Amino acid sequence: MPQSSAQALKANPFHRKKASRELKEGLIQFVLLLAGLSCVATTLAIMYILIIESVHFFQQVSLVEFLTSKDWSPLFDPPGYGILPLVSGTLTTTLVALVVAVPMGTIAAVYVSEFASPKVRETVKPILELLAGIPTVVYGYFALLFVTPILQWLYAPIGPILSEKLPATLSESAPWLAEWLQRTFPIELSGFNMLGPGIVMGLMITPLISSISEDAMRAVPVSLREGSYSMGATRFQTAWKVVFPAAISGIIAAYILGISRAVGETMIVAIAAGLQPNFTFNPLESAATITAYIVQVSLGDLPHGSLEYQTIFAAGLTLVLVTLVFNILGYLLTQRFREKY
Amino acid sequence: MAQGDMAQENFKTVQDGVSKRQFLSAAFSILGLLVILVSTIVLLALVVQLFVQGYPRLNWQFFTSFPSSNYQEAGILAAWVGSFLVMLVTVTIAVPLGVAAGIYLEEYGGKNWLAAIIEINVTNLAGVPSIVYGLLALGFFNDTLGLGDSISTAGLTLALLILPIVIVTTREALRAIPNSLREAAYAVGSSKWQVIWDHILPCSYGSILTGIIIGLSRAIGETAPLITIGALTFIAFLPPAPIQPDFPFISFEWLKAPFTVMPIQMFNWVSRPEPEFQVNAAAAGAVLIVMTLTMNGLAIYLRYRFRKGVKW
């Protein structure tokens, strides 16, 4: 034999083809990995930019003032750099949104998952999905020019009673209550308030909550339902006393993701809530949220590198940290409910 | 006799209990329908309100005019051209990147730590508020890379924003392909990439397309991240045309041009104090909502069709 078997193998065209094929495969896998890493790069870039600019900001403004002062007026003289008014605005609008979205989303989810016929389910789901697909700027318009006027009209007969007549009769028997009523309820609802955008935001996140809750309830095994029905339970009892508790961690995850969505929502509040940094938890007043402040400042011509420019990054960092906590909580809960059965 | 009475009474109590519980069930059924009805009515009210308000401005001139300080002459030409060009950049970046990342995670990733990190990142990015992408764009694309307030910055920003949507739907589409198909392809000697490229992708392109459309309809309505990068609200010119009459016929100058998009134009009109401009805002909103609802409807229809047509 003149040639060794190894050499023969190398000379074999089939083998050469295989080697080049493996090289090509490796190359493709590497390129695909790079595409996947673009997500990691995005996260790193977000954190890098926010932290760098916030560090510059906190070199000039103390962290104590930022976290405790109730005055947010970075564009005025003398400036105030307390984030609390923006946080209170964000919390209030989020709370109003949840008061709307949690009951509506839960009821819709229970109904669609446990009561509705497959036909109804197939028609309802797309409608809810369409609701989630509407641009938020359109929802903002809707809140300002449709929902707020309706609220003003509804409030018109109630306002004078709560802010004038009732305090007048109570001023002697319970002066503190009279004062509180006067302070809390305006005579007329202003065109900018947190109630309108909050309600609209709630309608917007209802589909999110109902679709995740429904998935969680669908994951509950049928045997549990059958057990319940065999004991003579009605649909209502089965849904609320068996399926709902079994899916509770997934449903709570849906609520938490809803919160995180409401906290980060921008255009609805920027259009309809009034853009006034105002330390209040009263939804009848106007206020600014963290996101709305960022929009407001970005609309002006910002000198890059100035303190005003850095405030939006400090506000952005606060926003990211808050939503991050909620997102991690929601993620952990969804992981748990998936592995339960 | 007394025993018979008692049995009768017991029977009656049970019957009352049953009918009470059945009533609760029926009442909840109605409540559920009511909630869904409210959602539908809101959707309807929103669309009707936009069209009724904006109807007087919905004419040809509205689509072919630049914004103006006179509300009757103002139009959305710059906005819809801007939206279209920004979407063009977004698609060219988000689709290859997102589909590739989805393929990696689903077909190659397996259980290694790198795939786990990417996966956590995708979940996390999907929950980041959109305005934060605007801050990223302002700090990174605009300042650090020096792209300025241009169409390319906007396109890149929205591409990153919809990347998680494209990745997640691509993964779901690939997961829906049964393993027998992969095994059959391997059995005739295909390499991994040949299996994916020749068999898995052609079978799942319908669902992937659905995800891309949903992502794009999200991107086309997105406002906040583009406001932060300083998109102008008053633009009375069009970006340079991509196709030129002279050599080399194709120009990329438009990538560097300042721009405005539909939702920003609408936001600008909504925030004006003059009530006349609200009519323009409504008209722009009507156009925007037709665009996004059509895209969403198309995505829902496609998903329905592909799910129905394919029987594994």
Side-chain angles (χ1 to χ4, degrees):
Chain A
M1 248 193 220
Q3 275 181 324
S4 75
S5 59
Q7 272 172 322
L9 213 61
K10 250 186 194 155
N12 184 346
F14 180 72
H15 183 85
R16 270 211 310 275
K17 217 171 173 180
K18 195 180 165 206
S20 87
R21 194 164 115 160
E22 265 164 17
L23 185 75
K24 196 180 143 202
E25 289 287 314
L27 212 69
I28 286 171
Q29 182 169 355
F30 182 68
V31 170
L32 293 176
L33 172 66
L34 282 185
L37 286 176
S38 65
C39 281
V40 183
T42 309
T43 309
L44 290 179
I46 287 176
M47 288 325 281
Y48 170 78
I49 289 288
L50 289 181
I51 290 172
I52 283 281
E53 295 291 344
S54 298
V55 163
H56 290 155
F57 175 76
F58 286 118
Q59 276 167 355
Q60 292 168 73
V61 176
S62 79
L63 191 60
V64 177
E65 188 195 347
F66 184 70
L67 292 178
T68 58
S69 164
K70 290 176 188 168
D71 174 32
W72 179 262
S73 50
L75 307 178
F76 294 113
D77 200 33
Y81 295 104
I83 193 87
L84 284 182
L86 300 184
V87 171
S88 78
T90 306
L91 286 182
T92 312
T93 46
T94 302
L95 216 68
V96 174
L98 288 180
V99 166
V100 173
V102 165
M104 277 188 65
T106 313
I107 291 171
V110 170
Y111 178 77
V112 170
S113 145
E114 305 298 314
F115 284 76
S117 63
K119 209 171 178 183
V120 172
R121 187 180 299 149
E122 291 300 315
T123 6
V124 164
K125 282 201 108 173
I127 293 177
L128 288 178
E129 276 171 35
L130 283 183
L131 214 54
I134 291 171
T136 52
V137 65
V138 174
Y139 272 120
Y141 168 92
F142 188 63
L144 181 70
L145 294 165
F146 191 78
V147 174
T148 300
I150 290 179
L151 289 175
Q152 282 175 316
W153 177 75
L154 287 175
Y155 185 79
I158 309 170
I161 299 176
L162 286 177
S163 87
E164 277 176 349
K165 279 188 191 154
L166 218 55
T169 54
L170 287 169
S171 59
E172 280 173 16
S173 51
W176 58 272
L177 188 62
E179 200 206 341
W180 179 80
L181 281 171
Q182 241 169 348
R183 214 163 4 105
T184 312
F185 295 97
I187 298 181
E188 284 181 336
L189 193 59
S190 132
F192 292 113
N193 58 65
M194 292 190 270
L195 194 60
I199 292 173
V200 173
M201 212 149 89
L203 290 169
M204 187 192 76
I205 58 178
T206 297
L208 176 84
I209 289 183
S210 77
S211 81
I212 300 176
S213 307
E214 199 212 324
D215 284 346
M217 290 196 291
R218 284 281 191 85
V220 173
V222 182
S223 57
L224 250 69
R225 291 185 187 90
E226 284 166 351
S228 167
Y229 285 134
S230 72
M231 301 296 288
T234 56
R235 259 175 201 274
F236 183 77
Q237 286 173 312
T238 308
W240 286 102
K241 297 194 174 153
V242 177
V243 180
F244 188 81
I248 192 73
S249 61
I251 293 167
I252 292 176
Y255 296 164
I256 289 173
L257 292 178
I259 295 176
S260 148
R261 183 76 182 277
V263 166
E265 171 42 47
T266 311
M267 294 319 292
I268 301 176
V269 282
I271 290 173
L275 296 172
Q276 288 291 322
N278 195 351
F279 184 70
T280 175
F281 292 96
N282 183 357
L284 300 174
E285 287 183 43
S286 74
T289 62
I290 300 177
T291 51
Y293 170 75
I294 298 175
V295 164
Q296 188 188 11
V297 172
S298 308
L299 283 172
D301 214 2
L302 271 182
H304 288 191
S306 65
L307 195 57
E308 291 95 319
Y309 177 79
Q310 285 152 5
T311 56
I312 62 175
F313 288 92
L317 186 63
T318 316
L319 186 69
V320 166
L321 292 180
V322 172
T323 49
L324 190 66
V325 170
F326 284 124
N327 286 334
I328 291 172
L329 263 177
Y331 178 74
L332 291 178
L333 282 169
T334 38
Q335 289 304 100
R336 227 190 94 194
F337 93 78
R338 263 191 209 142
E339 287 161 19
K340 204 163 174 182
Y341 301 102
Chain B
M1 190 67 189
Q3 231 178 7
D5 270 356
M6 232 161 79
Q8 196 91 37
E9 209 152 288
N10 280 346
F11 181 68
K12 208 173 164 336
T13 330
V14 171
Q15 214 174 22
D16 279 355
V18 168
S19 60
K20 203 179 119 198
R21 287 184 294 150
Q22 275 172 347
F23 170 75
L24 264 181
S25 241
F28 183 80
S29 225
I30 291 169
L31 182 70
L33 269 178
L34 219 64
V35 164
I36 285 155
L37 211 64
V38 166
S39 314
T40 320
I41 288 172
V42 168
L43 184 68
L44 221 70
L46 194 142
V47 176
V48 169
Q49 146 89 357
L50 279 176
F51 275 91
V52 169
Q53 270 273 313
Y55 180 72
R57 300 288 296 119
L58 283 172
N59 50 36
W60 185 244
Q61 180 261 338
F62 186 64
F63 287 90
T64 53
S65 307
F66 288 112
S68 153
S69 52
N70 178 352
Y71 80 97
Q72 280 191 316
E73 285 167 14
I76 52 170
L77 178 62
W80 69 257
V81 172
S83 270
F84 177 76
L85 292 176
V86 169
M87 283 307 113
L88 209 63
V89 178
T90 303
V91 173
T92 32
I93 292 164
V95 170
L97 214 55
V99 173
I103 292 175
Y104 178 80
L105 285 176
E106 198 54 38
E107 303 287 331
Y108 291 87
K111 283 208 158 60
N112 69 41
W113 59 273
L114 209 58
I117 289 181
I118 296 174
E119 191 158 351
I120 292 169
N121 248 290
V122 172
T123 322
N124 186 32
L125 279 180
V128 169
S130 64
I131 191 149
V132 172
Y133 285 90
L135 291 177
L136 166 73
L138 175 65
F140 192 69
F141 300 141
N142 201 334
D143 284 5
T144 312
L145 295 186
L147 292 173
D149 319 332
S150 61
I151 290 176
S152 52
T153 305
L156 273 169
T157 313
L158 294 183
L160 291 185
L161 187 76
I162 66 167
L163 205 53
I165 303 177
V166 178
I167 293 177
V168 168
T169 46
T170 301
R171 291 192 66 178
E172 273 166 12
L174 297 181
R175 206 174 303 150
I177 307 289
N179 262 330
S180 53
L181 191 79
R182 294 184 181 84
E183 282 155 9
Y186 281 128
V188 292
S190 305
S191 71
K192 185 150 194 159
W193 180 245
Q194 285 170 333
V195 173
I196 295 169
W197 187 254
D198 295 337
H199 302 281
I200 309 285
L201 277 182
C203 288
S204 54
Y205 90 98
S207 316
I208 294 176
L209 193 66
T210 310
I212 292 169
I213 296 173
I214 288 177
L216 281 184
S217 89
R218 165 96 191 273
I220 210 163
E222 204 55 75
T223 325
L226 300 185
I227 290 180
T228 38
I229 61 172
L232 299 177
T233 48
F234 195 94
I235 290 215
F237 53 87
L238 287 181
I243 296 164
Q244 300 288 331
D246 315 315
F247 189 80
F249 304 114
I250 293 172
S251 149
F252 288 102
E253 277 301 305
W254 57 274
L255 282 171
K256 296 184 214 149
F259 69 101
T260 189
V261 290
M262 290 290 299
I264 288 184
Q265 184 65 70
M266 183 184 176
F267 173 65
N268 176 247
W269 280 331
V270 171
S271 22
R272 285 207 172 193
E274 307 94 323
E276 293 88 359
F277 277 101
Q278 310 296 2
V279 179
N280 284 8
V287 176
L288 194 58
I289 217 165
V290 165
M291 278 154 63
T292 53
L293 289 190
T294 310
M295 287 168 93
N296 271 299
L298 187 67
I300 291 167
Y301 169 75
L302 276 177
R303 190 166 50 200
Y304 179 74
R305 226 194 90 176
F306 280 104
R307 200 189 286 158
K308 226 180 166 181
V310 180
K311 285 197 180 69
W312 296 109

